[in-house]
Structure formats: C-alpha cells, structure tokens
Amino acid sequence: MARLCFSLKSVAVAGGYSWGKGRLFYGTHSYPVRIRGGGAVGIGYSHIRGDGSVYNLTRLPDLNGTYWAVKAEATMARGGNWAVMENNNNINIKVSAHTSGAHLSAAVMRLTLKVDPNQGDNMSAEGKSCKMALAQYHNH
C-alpha cells in the first residue's frame, strides 16, 4: 500500500475544473504528482487538502491515468468529503479530504494523475503529516 497527499483547487460554474499537486509515498521514497480534472453540475470555488490510501500499486507508472469517482460536496467556509477512485490499471485510492471555500456540486469526477518518477527522494511517510510533506514539496 502507498499513500497520496494532495492539495487541489476546484472551481465550478455549471461544469467544474480541478487542479493541484500531491506527493506519493511509496516504499521508502516519495514522488511529486500532478493532478488535473473536472466534473459536472456545480457552482463556486473550494480548496481541497487530503490524503488517501493507494491500493494495488506494484509498479510506479501504474498510478498514472484517469480516475473516476462519484462526488458530492457542500462547502460553506469549511467541510469534508471522501471518495473512492479507480483507474484502468486497477489502482484504487480511498481519499479523505478537508475543504474550504464556498462550493456546491454533485458530479462524476474525472481526475488525471501523473507521477514524476525522476523527481523521487528518500522521504518516507512515517512520522510526517501530509501538511508537512506538502509544505516541503511546495517550497522546492
């Protein structure tokens, strides 16, 4: 099992779009992850921070791809949500997220994740919170 920490921004006016960055902790290394995607039927803006357990990952490139999830979000100031996402490589990510902003949506989400294996480092997830890991990653 691996762990994904991420920070996303999401905006919606009818259709929605999300973008952000994350950090994948896999074995004794961590890797940057770019996240892009969208959904339908929403209005507003939110900032999403979360983490998830990644299942069935045996090869780093298998994380790459498009993930699908059904998502409902109602955020006024602060909120939370969870989702289970899966890609065509049978990689499952169970996500728990905290949101801030003003956003109302109900959507089938499509997120594309792209890991950069050339930028890995020896930063293990043990003893590190997602907040610390993302702060260190964004400062690079």
Side-chain angles (χ1 to χ4, degrees):
M1 185 170 55
R3 182 172 170 214
L4 176 68
C5 296
F6 62 89
S7 176
L8 290 175
K9 293 180 181 172
S10 183
V11 64
V13 178
Y17 184 73
S18 299
W19 68 98
K21 295 179 181 180
R23 196 89 192 160
L24 174 71
F25 296 96
Y26 182 55
T28 59
H29 291 81
S30 71
Y31 303 89
V33 177
R34 185 184 68 170
I35 306 169
R36 301 281 186 268
V41 189
I43 187 163
Y45 169 86
S46 64
H47 185 223
I48 305 163
R49 289 186 186 270
D51 67 283
S53 298
V54 180
Y55 298 91
N56 305 323
L57 185 63
T58 56
R59 295 179 334 112
L60 191 58
D62 287 345
L63 183 78
N64 295 334
T66 300
Y67 290 78
W68 296 90
V70 176
K71 174 188 147 217
E73 179 185 341
T75 299
M76 283 305 280
R78 297 199 182 280
N81 59 47
W82 62 271
V84 177
M85 307 185 310
E86 183 176 356
N87 75 1
N88 288 338
N89 297 320
N90 197 33
I91 305 301
N92 294 296
I93 305 175
K94 293 182 181 177
V95 175
S96 173
H98 302 282
T99 58
S100 61
H103 196 240
L104 178 64
S105 70
V108 173
M109 280 298 281
R110 180 183 50 86
L111 293 175
T112 301
L113 276 62
K114 175 79 174 154
V115 65
D116 187 347
N118 299 319
Q119 297 296 318
D121 61 29
N122 290 323
M123 185 168 62
S124 168
E126 293 179 20
K128 229 180 228 312
S129 71
C130 282
K131 185 175 180 180
M132 286 172 48
L134 289 173
Q136 181 175 352
Y137 172 59
H138 288 297
N139 289 333
H140 282 140

